[in-house]
Amino acid sequence: MKNQTVVTEFILLGLSEDPQVQIFLFFVFLIIYATTLLGNSVIILIIRAEPGLHTPMFFFLSQLAFVDICFSSITVPKLLANFIQQKKTISPVGCITQIFFFFLFGCTENVLLSVMAYDRYIAICNPLHYSINMRKQVFTQLVAGAWAISFLDALINTVPLKDLTFCRHNIIRHYTCELPSVLRLSCSEPFTNYMIILISGSFFGFAPLLLILVSYTYIIGTILNIRSAEGRSKAFSTCSSHLIVVCLLYFSGLFEYLKSGSKSFTELDSIFSIQYLILTPMLNPIIYSLKNQEIKAIIWKRFNKFR
């Protein structure tokens, strides 16, 4: 190991080596990023500006929109820069920083989605006690807890990286510093790091998913017992957007989690990575805008004012 050259920078191969394809992809991802920033910012501003939306459900939604902005911003700006730069490098410190914020915002989104599922459970299954169970102190503590848990998850997964040695190979066959891609380059044995991913992923990833599944088991049972078709439709409409977002995030995230120990990287990894790192933060505000009647009505009202 003493005769090995220590890596001082990593090279990100990105999505394509063809200059013309890179230019095309630059504009595609620029549009996606701009849409992500605009859509989520609109959600946040509308919720802040409308007193009728100052409820726990929309407070959680505004937090989710903020996390989506941050989640997209840890990846896309660097990706866009690499499309137009000859030298597509990132320092080890920059790489570890990117990994830290990936875990921070990714875990926060997971926990927030489970909190939102619990909120819908209280609203539909126990509506008479909703104002007590979801008073301001409670839902602010739930959000603060989501951020605290996610910060801990980020520390657990990034601090052990200081014990790894990187030499010889410095080419990351990816467009971002995802932890599994970086661990594949380690000259020292990353078994401990893979175990940390497995354990922390099981706790911080599957525990929120389990809470979501349990919540929706009760929610669906309650909805089916509602006698009027209109009541069932209204109850389901408040949950459908949340369910779609959960499926988008967990389907691709679970694939990456199960692949984390693999020594190879395929194009399928890039596709799933793009879906949950870049496309999901863009799609979330669109889904909520189309499926949520209150937000849709306010957007149309404000749009008609400026016509």
Side-chain angles (χ1 to χ4, degrees):
M1 292 296 295
K2 291 182 179 179
N3 295 328
Q4 298 290 351
T5 303
V6 177
V7 169
T8 57
E9 62 182 14
F10 295 112
I11 299 172
L12 297 169
L13 287 188
L15 298 173
S16 175
E17 297 181 4
D18 188 326
Q20 292 183 336
V21 174
Q22 287 182 5
I23 294 173
F24 171 75
L25 291 175
F26 172 83
F27 287 104
V28 169
F29 284 100
L30 180 62
I31 293 171
I32 290 173
Y33 186 53
T35 304
T36 301
L37 296 181
L38 178 62
N40 286 290
S41 297
V42 167
I43 293 289
I44 294 171
L45 292 174
I46 285 176
I47 292 173
R48 287 178 63 89
E50 290 292 329
L53 300 183
H54 292 175
T55 63
M57 181 179 74
F58 290 104
F59 177 73
F60 297 140
L61 180 55
S62 66
Q63 288 290 313
L64 183 67
F66 174 72
V67 170
D68 281 334
I69 290 174
C70 298
F71 200 34
S72 182
S73 296
I74 62 175
T75 302
V76 182
K78 182 62 178 176
L79 175 62
L80 293 174
N82 284 344
F83 280 138
I84 58 177
Q85 290 178 342
Q86 290 288 345
K87 194 176 182 182
K88 308 177 191 303
T89 60
I90 185 170
S91 67
V93 173
C95 211
I96 292 173
T97 302
Q98 202 175 58
I99 291 170
F100 174 86
F101 284 110
F102 167 75
F103 276 99
L104 175 64
F105 298 129
C107 183
T108 302
E109 180 144 356
N110 284 344
V111 179
L112 277 177
L113 288 173
S114 67
V115 168
M116 292 171 76
Y118 175 71
D119 172 71
R120 292 299 84 206
Y121 160 74
I122 298 293
I124 293 174
C125 301
N126 199 7
L128 296 179
H129 295 90
Y130 183 79
S131 59
I132 298 174
N133 293 331
M134 274 296 167
R135 59 190 184 276
K136 186 175 182 179
Q137 182 183 5
V138 173
F139 66 73
T140 52
Q141 286 177 348
L142 285 172
V143 170
W147 283 101
I149 289 172
S150 303
F151 183 77
L152 177 63
D153 182 37
L155 283 180
I156 289 173
N157 280 279
T158 53
V159 169
L161 291 176
K162 67 180 178 63
D163 297 325
L164 296 181
T165 303
F166 297 96
C167 57
R168 300 191 309 272
H169 305 296
N170 68 335
I171 297 176
I172 298 176
R173 299 184 180 278
H174 210 317
Y175 61 86
T176 186
C177 286
E178 278 195 321
L179 183 54
S181 299
V182 174
L183 292 180
R184 292 183 188 112
L185 302 180
S186 174
C187 292
S188 48
E189 177 54 54
F191 175 77
T192 302
N193 301 82
Y194 283 121
M195 289 302 299
I196 291 172
I197 294 175
L198 180 66
I199 295 170
S200 66
S202 299
F203 181 76
F204 296 109
F206 286 104
L209 178 60
L210 180 62
L211 180 58
I212 291 170
L213 293 175
V214 171
S215 297
Y216 273 102
T217 300
Y218 284 102
I219 288 171
I220 292 171
T222 302
I223 291 175
L224 292 176
N225 288 327
I226 298 175
R227 293 185 178 182
S228 67
E230 183 181 352
R232 286 195 300 269
S233 177
K234 185 177 180 181
F236 184 74
S237 68
T238 63
C239 303
S240 57
S241 54
H242 181 257
L243 276 173
I244 294 171
V245 169
V246 167
C247 292
L248 281 174
L249 181 68
Y250 274 98
F251 178 72
S252 53
L254 183 62
F255 174 84
E256 283 297 306
Y257 172 78
L258 294 175
K259 284 276 292 178
S260 62
S262 173
K263 297 296 183 182
S264 61
F265 182 82
T266 65
E267 291 183 1
L268 194 60
D269 291 86
S270 286
I271 293 171
F272 278 99
S273 179
I274 289 171
Q275 198 264 298
Y276 78 86
L277 279 177
I278 300 175
L279 294 182
T280 297
M282 179 193 71
L283 293 173
N284 284 355
I286 297 173
I287 293 168
Y288 276 104
S289 298
L290 293 176
K291 301 293 291 183
N292 190 286
Q293 297 299 325
E294 292 97 329
I295 291 181
K296 190 192 300 184
I298 291 170
I299 289 176
W300 278 112
K301 184 178 72 174
R302 291 187 174 271
F303 176 74
N304 289 329
K305 280 185 178 180
F306 294 102
R307 291 181 61 180

